[in-house]
Short mmCIF file of all heavy atoms in Angstrom, two decimals:
data_model
loop_
_atom_site.label_atom_id
_atom_site.label_comp_id
_atom_site.label_asym_id
_atom_site.label_seq_id
_atom_site.Cartn_x
_atom_site.Cartn_y
_atom_site.Cartn_z
N PHE Z 21 5.99 0.24 27.53
CA PHE Z 21 6.46 1.60 27.29
C PHE Z 21 5.35 2.45 26.66
O PHE Z 21 4.45 1.93 26.00
CB PHE Z 21 7.69 1.60 26.36
CG PHE Z 21 7.40 1.00 25.01
CD1 PHE Z 21 7.04 1.80 23.93
CD2 PHE Z 21 7.45 -0.38 24.80
CE1 PHE Z 21 6.75 1.25 22.68
CE2 PHE Z 21 7.15 -0.93 23.56
CZ PHE Z 21 6.80 -0.12 22.50
N PHE Z 37 -6.77 3.69 15.40
CA PHE Z 37 -5.34 3.36 15.34
C PHE Z 37 -4.74 3.95 14.08
O PHE Z 37 -5.45 4.40 13.16
CB PHE Z 37 -5.12 1.85 15.36
CG PHE Z 37 -5.75 1.12 14.21
CD1 PHE Z 37 -5.10 0.98 13.00
CD2 PHE Z 37 -7.03 0.59 14.33
CE1 PHE Z 37 -5.70 0.34 11.93
CE2 PHE Z 37 -7.64 -0.06 13.26
CZ PHE Z 37 -6.97 -0.19 12.05
N VAL Z 38 -3.39 3.93 14.03
CA VAL Z 38 -2.69 4.40 12.84
C VAL Z 38 -1.45 3.52 12.68
O VAL Z 38 -0.96 2.96 13.67
CB VAL Z 38 -2.31 5.90 12.99
CG1 VAL Z 38 -1.19 6.10 14.03
CG2 VAL Z 38 -1.93 6.52 11.66
N VAL Z 49 9.22 -0.85 8.12
CA VAL Z 49 8.40 -1.86 8.82
C VAL Z 49 7.32 -1.13 9.62
O VAL Z 49 7.63 -0.33 10.51
CB VAL Z 49 9.27 -2.72 9.76
CG1 VAL Z 49 8.40 -3.71 10.53
CG2 VAL Z 49 10.34 -3.44 8.96
N ALA Z 50 6.05 -1.40 9.29
CA ALA Z 50 4.93 -0.67 9.88
C ALA Z 50 4.02 -1.61 10.65
O ALA Z 50 3.82 -2.77 10.27
CB ALA Z 50 4.14 0.02 8.77
N ARG Z 51 3.45 -1.10 11.74
CA ARG Z 51 2.46 -1.86 12.52
C ARG Z 51 1.38 -0.89 12.99
O ARG Z 51 1.67 0.28 13.27
CB ARG Z 51 3.11 -2.46 13.78
CG ARG Z 51 4.15 -3.53 13.52
CD ARG Z 51 3.51 -4.84 13.13
NE ARG Z 51 4.48 -5.92 12.98
CZ ARG Z 51 5.13 -6.21 11.85
NH1 ARG Z 51 4.91 -5.48 10.77
NH2 ARG Z 51 5.98 -7.20 11.81
N PRO Z 52 0.13 -1.38 13.13
CA PRO Z 52 -0.91 -0.51 13.68
C PRO Z 52 -0.73 -0.30 15.18
O PRO Z 52 -0.42 -1.26 15.90
CB PRO Z 52 -2.21 -1.27 13.40
CG PRO Z 52 -1.83 -2.60 12.85
CD PRO Z 52 -0.35 -2.71 12.75
N PHE Z 53 -0.93 0.91 15.63
CA PHE Z 53 -0.93 1.24 17.06
C PHE Z 53 -2.11 2.17 17.33
O PHE Z 53 -2.37 3.10 16.57
CB PHE Z 53 0.37 1.95 17.48
CG PHE Z 53 1.43 0.98 17.95
CD1 PHE Z 53 2.12 0.20 17.05
CD2 PHE Z 53 1.69 0.85 19.31
CE1 PHE Z 53 3.07 -0.71 17.48
CE2 PHE Z 53 2.65 -0.06 19.76
CZ PHE Z 53 3.34 -0.84 18.85
N SER Z 54 -2.80 1.94 18.44
CA SER Z 54 -3.91 2.80 18.83
C SER Z 54 -3.38 4.09 19.44
O SER Z 54 -2.40 4.06 20.20
CB SER Z 54 -4.77 2.09 19.88
OG SER Z 54 -5.23 0.88 19.36
N MET Z 55 -4.03 5.18 19.15
CA MET Z 55 -3.67 6.43 19.82
C MET Z 55 -4.19 6.37 21.27
O MET Z 55 -5.33 5.95 21.51
CB MET Z 55 -4.30 7.63 19.13
CG MET Z 55 -3.50 8.18 17.97
SD MET Z 55 -3.43 7.09 16.54
CE MET Z 55 -5.07 7.23 15.86
N VAL Z 56 -3.35 6.82 22.20
CA VAL Z 56 -3.75 6.92 23.61
C VAL Z 56 -4.22 8.35 23.91
O VAL Z 56 -5.07 8.56 24.77
CB VAL Z 56 -2.55 6.57 24.53
CG1 VAL Z 56 -2.89 6.78 25.99
CG2 VAL Z 56 -2.09 5.14 24.30
N PHE Z 66 1.46 6.52 22.14
CA PHE Z 66 1.24 5.12 21.83
C PHE Z 66 1.73 4.29 23.01
O PHE Z 66 2.75 4.62 23.62
CB PHE Z 66 2.04 4.72 20.57
CG PHE Z 66 1.70 5.54 19.36
CD1 PHE Z 66 2.58 6.52 18.89
CD2 PHE Z 66 0.50 5.37 18.70
CE1 PHE Z 66 2.27 7.29 17.78
CE2 PHE Z 66 0.17 6.14 17.58
CZ PHE Z 66 1.06 7.10 17.12
N TYR Z 67 0.97 3.23 23.33
CA TYR Z 67 1.34 2.35 24.45
C TYR Z 67 1.67 0.97 23.89
O TYR Z 67 0.85 0.40 23.16
CB TYR Z 67 0.16 2.27 25.43
CG TYR Z 67 0.35 1.25 26.52
CD1 TYR Z 67 1.49 1.27 27.32
CD2 TYR Z 67 -0.59 0.25 26.75
CE1 TYR Z 67 1.68 0.33 28.31
CE2 TYR Z 67 -0.42 -0.69 27.74
CZ TYR Z 67 0.73 -0.65 28.52
OH TYR Z 67 0.93 -1.59 29.48
N GLY Z 68 2.85 0.46 24.20
CA GLY Z 68 3.26 -0.80 23.59
C GLY Z 68 3.92 -1.76 24.55
O GLY Z 68 4.31 -1.41 25.66
N ILE Z 69 4.05 -3.00 24.06
CA ILE Z 69 4.77 -4.05 24.78
C ILE Z 69 5.86 -4.57 23.86
O ILE Z 69 5.67 -4.63 22.64
CB ILE Z 69 3.82 -5.19 25.22
CG1 ILE Z 69 4.58 -6.27 26.03
CG2 ILE Z 69 3.10 -5.84 24.04
CD1 ILE Z 69 3.68 -7.29 26.72
N VAL Z 70 6.98 -4.95 24.46
CA VAL Z 70 8.06 -5.55 23.68
C VAL Z 70 7.73 -7.01 23.41
O VAL Z 70 7.58 -7.80 24.35
CB VAL Z 70 9.40 -5.48 24.46
CG1 VAL Z 70 10.51 -6.17 23.67
CG2 VAL Z 70 9.76 -4.04 24.76
N LEU Z 71 7.57 -7.35 22.14
CA LEU Z 71 7.47 -8.76 21.74
C LEU Z 71 8.86 -9.14 21.25
O LEU Z 71 9.25 -8.72 20.16
CB LEU Z 71 6.43 -8.94 20.63
CG LEU Z 71 4.94 -8.89 21.03
CD1 LEU Z 71 4.65 -9.79 22.20
CD2 LEU Z 71 4.44 -7.50 21.30
N PRO Z 72 9.61 -9.90 22.04
CA PRO Z 72 11.04 -10.04 21.76
C PRO Z 72 11.33 -10.55 20.35
O PRO Z 72 12.34 -10.17 19.75
CB PRO Z 72 11.52 -11.05 22.82
CG PRO Z 72 10.49 -10.98 23.90
CD PRO Z 72 9.20 -10.61 23.26
N GLN Z 73 10.46 -11.38 19.79
CA GLN Z 73 10.70 -11.91 18.45
C GLN Z 73 10.21 -10.98 17.34
O GLN Z 73 10.45 -11.24 16.16
CB GLN Z 73 10.02 -13.29 18.26
CG GLN Z 73 10.27 -14.29 19.37
CD GLN Z 73 11.76 -14.43 19.69
OE1 GLN Z 73 12.61 -14.35 18.82
NE2 GLN Z 73 12.07 -14.60 20.97
N GLY Z 74 9.47 -9.94 17.69
CA GLY Z 74 8.89 -9.05 16.67
C GLY Z 74 9.93 -8.07 16.16
O GLY Z 74 10.83 -7.69 16.89
N PRO Z 75 9.79 -7.62 14.91
CA PRO Z 75 10.77 -6.66 14.39
C PRO Z 75 10.61 -5.25 14.96
O PRO Z 75 11.60 -4.57 15.21
CB PRO Z 75 10.51 -6.67 12.88
CG PRO Z 75 9.12 -7.17 12.70
CD PRO Z 75 8.84 -8.07 13.88
N LEU Z 76 9.37 -4.80 15.16
CA LEU Z 76 9.19 -3.37 15.45
C LEU Z 76 9.21 -3.03 16.94
O LEU Z 76 9.87 -2.08 17.36
CB LEU Z 76 7.88 -2.85 14.81
CG LEU Z 76 7.79 -1.33 14.80
CD1 LEU Z 76 8.88 -0.71 13.92
CD2 LEU Z 76 6.42 -0.86 14.36
N SER Z 77 8.45 -3.79 17.74
CA SER Z 77 8.24 -3.34 19.12
C SER Z 77 9.54 -3.22 19.94
O SER Z 77 9.67 -2.24 20.70
CB SER Z 77 7.21 -4.22 19.82
OG SER Z 77 7.60 -5.57 19.81
N PRO Z 78 10.53 -4.12 19.80
CA PRO Z 78 11.75 -3.92 20.59
C PRO Z 78 12.47 -2.63 20.22
O PRO Z 78 13.07 -1.97 21.08
CB PRO Z 78 12.61 -5.15 20.24
CG PRO Z 78 11.66 -6.17 19.72
CD PRO Z 78 10.58 -5.38 19.03
N LEU Z 80 10.96 0.14 18.98
CA LEU Z 80 10.18 1.27 19.52
C LEU Z 80 10.52 1.49 20.99
O LEU Z 80 10.66 2.62 21.45
CB LEU Z 80 8.67 0.99 19.38
CG LEU Z 80 8.10 0.95 17.96
CD1 LEU Z 80 6.62 0.53 18.02
CD2 LEU Z 80 8.24 2.32 17.27
N THR Z 115 -7.49 -6.46 27.56
CA THR Z 115 -6.33 -7.19 28.09
C THR Z 115 -5.08 -6.47 27.61
O THR Z 115 -5.03 -5.95 26.49
CB THR Z 115 -6.26 -8.65 27.59
OG1 THR Z 115 -6.32 -8.66 26.16
CG2 THR Z 115 -7.36 -9.50 28.16
N GLY Z 116 -4.03 -6.48 28.46
CA GLY Z 116 -2.71 -5.98 28.08
C GLY Z 116 -2.75 -4.59 27.46
O GLY Z 116 -3.39 -3.66 27.98
N THR Z 117 -2.09 -4.46 26.31
CA THR Z 117 -2.02 -3.15 25.64
C THR Z 117 -3.37 -2.73 25.06
O THR Z 117 -3.50 -1.59 24.59
CB THR Z 117 -0.96 -3.17 24.52
OG1 THR Z 117 -1.22 -4.28 23.67
CG2 THR Z 117 0.44 -3.26 25.10
N GLY Z 118 -4.34 -3.62 25.07
CA GLY Z 118 -5.69 -3.29 24.58
C GLY Z 118 -6.36 -2.17 25.37
O GLY Z 118 -7.42 -1.67 24.95
N ALA Z 120 -5.14 0.74 25.51
CA ALA Z 120 -4.74 2.02 24.87
C ALA Z 120 -5.91 2.81 24.27
O ALA Z 120 -6.08 3.99 24.59
CB ALA Z 120 -3.67 1.75 23.81
N PRO Z 121 -6.73 2.21 23.40
CA PRO Z 121 -7.81 3.02 22.81
C PRO Z 121 -8.83 3.49 23.84
O PRO Z 121 -9.47 4.54 23.65
CB PRO Z 121 -8.46 2.06 21.79
CG PRO Z 121 -8.07 0.69 22.24
CD PRO Z 121 -6.73 0.83 22.88
N CYS Z 213 -11.14 -5.16 23.60
CA CYS Z 213 -9.91 -4.91 22.85
C CYS Z 213 -8.74 -5.66 23.47
O CYS Z 213 -8.58 -5.68 24.69
CB CYS Z 213 -9.61 -3.41 22.84
SG CYS Z 213 -8.23 -3.00 21.77
N GLU Z 245 -12.09 -5.17 18.88
CA GLU Z 245 -10.89 -4.92 18.07
C GLU Z 245 -9.78 -5.84 18.54
O GLU Z 245 -9.39 -5.83 19.71
CB GLU Z 245 -10.42 -3.47 18.18
CG GLU Z 245 -9.20 -3.21 17.28
CD GLU Z 245 -8.90 -1.74 17.18
OE1 GLU Z 245 -9.48 -1.08 16.28
OE2 GLU Z 245 -8.12 -1.24 18.00
N SER Z 246 -9.29 -6.64 17.60
CA SER Z 246 -8.22 -7.59 17.90
C SER Z 246 -6.87 -6.95 17.61
O SER Z 246 -6.70 -6.31 16.57
CB SER Z 246 -8.42 -8.83 17.02
OG SER Z 246 -7.39 -9.74 17.28
N PHE Z 247 -5.90 -7.16 18.51
CA PHE Z 247 -4.57 -6.58 18.32
C PHE Z 247 -3.64 -7.51 17.56
O PHE Z 247 -2.56 -7.13 17.17
CB PHE Z 247 -3.95 -6.21 19.67
CG PHE Z 247 -4.23 -4.77 20.09
CD1 PHE Z 247 -5.19 -4.02 19.43
CD2 PHE Z 247 -3.52 -4.19 21.13
CE1 PHE Z 247 -5.44 -2.70 19.81
CE2 PHE Z 247 -3.75 -2.88 21.51
CZ PHE Z 247 -4.71 -2.12 20.85
N TRP Z 248 -4.04 -8.79 17.39
CA TRP Z 248 -3.21 -9.68 16.55
C TRP Z 248 -4.02 -10.85 16.09
O TRP Z 248 -5.21 -10.93 16.41
CB TRP Z 248 -1.92 -10.14 17.25
CG TRP Z 248 -2.04 -11.04 18.42
CD1 TRP Z 248 -1.99 -12.42 18.43
CD2 TRP Z 248 -2.16 -10.65 19.81
NE1 TRP Z 248 -2.09 -12.89 19.71
CE2 TRP Z 248 -2.21 -11.84 20.58
CE3 TRP Z 248 -2.26 -9.42 20.48
CZ2 TRP Z 248 -2.34 -11.84 21.96
CZ3 TRP Z 248 -2.40 -9.42 21.86
CH2 TRP Z 248 -2.43 -10.61 22.58
C1 FAD I 301 -5.82 -2.53 15.02
C2 FAD I 301 -4.57 -2.82 15.83
C3 FAD I 301 -4.17 -1.93 16.82
C4 FAD I 301 -3.04 -2.21 17.58
N1 FAD I 301 -2.68 -1.36 18.59
C5 FAD I 301 -1.61 -1.67 19.38
C6 FAD I 301 -1.25 -0.85 20.49
O1 FAD I 301 -1.87 0.20 20.76
N2 FAD I 301 -0.21 -1.24 21.25
C7 FAD I 301 0.50 -2.39 20.98
O2 FAD I 301 1.44 -2.71 21.72
N3 FAD I 301 0.20 -3.16 19.95
C8 FAD I 301 -0.83 -2.83 19.13
N4 FAD I 301 -1.12 -3.63 18.06
C9 FAD I 301 -0.16 -4.70 17.72
C10 FAD I 301 1.01 -4.07 16.93
O3 FAD I 301 0.53 -3.67 15.66
C11 FAD I 301 2.19 -5.02 16.73
O4 FAD I 301 1.77 -6.28 16.28
C12 FAD I 301 3.01 -5.19 18.00
O5 FAD I 301 3.55 -3.96 18.41
C13 FAD I 301 4.19 -6.14 17.78
O6 FAD I 301 4.95 -5.71 16.67
P1 FAD I 301 6.26 -6.49 16.27
O7 FAD I 301 6.66 -6.05 14.89
O8 FAD I 301 7.30 -6.35 17.34
O9 FAD I 301 5.81 -8.02 16.25
P2 FAD I 301 4.70 -8.74 15.37
O10 FAD I 301 5.40 -9.60 14.38
O11 FAD I 301 3.72 -7.74 14.85
O12 FAD I 301 3.96 -9.62 16.48
C14 FAD I 301 4.53 -10.80 16.99
C15 FAD I 301 3.48 -11.56 17.79
O13 FAD I 301 3.29 -10.93 19.05
C16 FAD I 301 1.94 -11.06 19.48
N5 FAD I 301 1.42 -9.68 19.70
C17 FAD I 301 1.30 -8.67 18.78
N6 FAD I 301 0.85 -7.53 19.37
C18 FAD I 301 0.71 -7.82 20.67
C19 FAD I 301 0.30 -7.06 21.78
N7 FAD I 301 -0.05 -5.75 21.67
N8 FAD I 301 0.24 -7.65 22.99
C20 FAD I 301 0.60 -8.96 23.13
N9 FAD I 301 0.99 -9.75 22.11
C21 FAD I 301 1.05 -9.19 20.90
C22 FAD I 301 1.22 -11.81 18.39
O14 FAD I 301 1.22 -13.18 18.73
C23 FAD I 301 2.08 -11.59 17.18
O15 FAD I 301 1.95 -12.60 16.22
C24 FAD I 301 -2.26 -3.36 17.29
C25 FAD I 301 -2.64 -4.22 16.26
C26 FAD I 301 -3.79 -3.97 15.54
C27 FAD I 301 -4.20 -4.94 14.46
#
Side-chain angles (χ1 to χ4, degrees):
F21 61 95
F37 61 86
V38 71
V49 177
R51 294 284 185 272
F53 269 75
S54 302
M55 274 69 73
V56 175
F66 303 106
Y67 172 54
I69 182 169
V70 177
L71 284 310
Q73 311 310 325
L76 193 65
S77 57
L80 292 175
T115 53
T117 52
C213 187
E245 182 169 272
S246 179
F247 268 13
W248 68 93

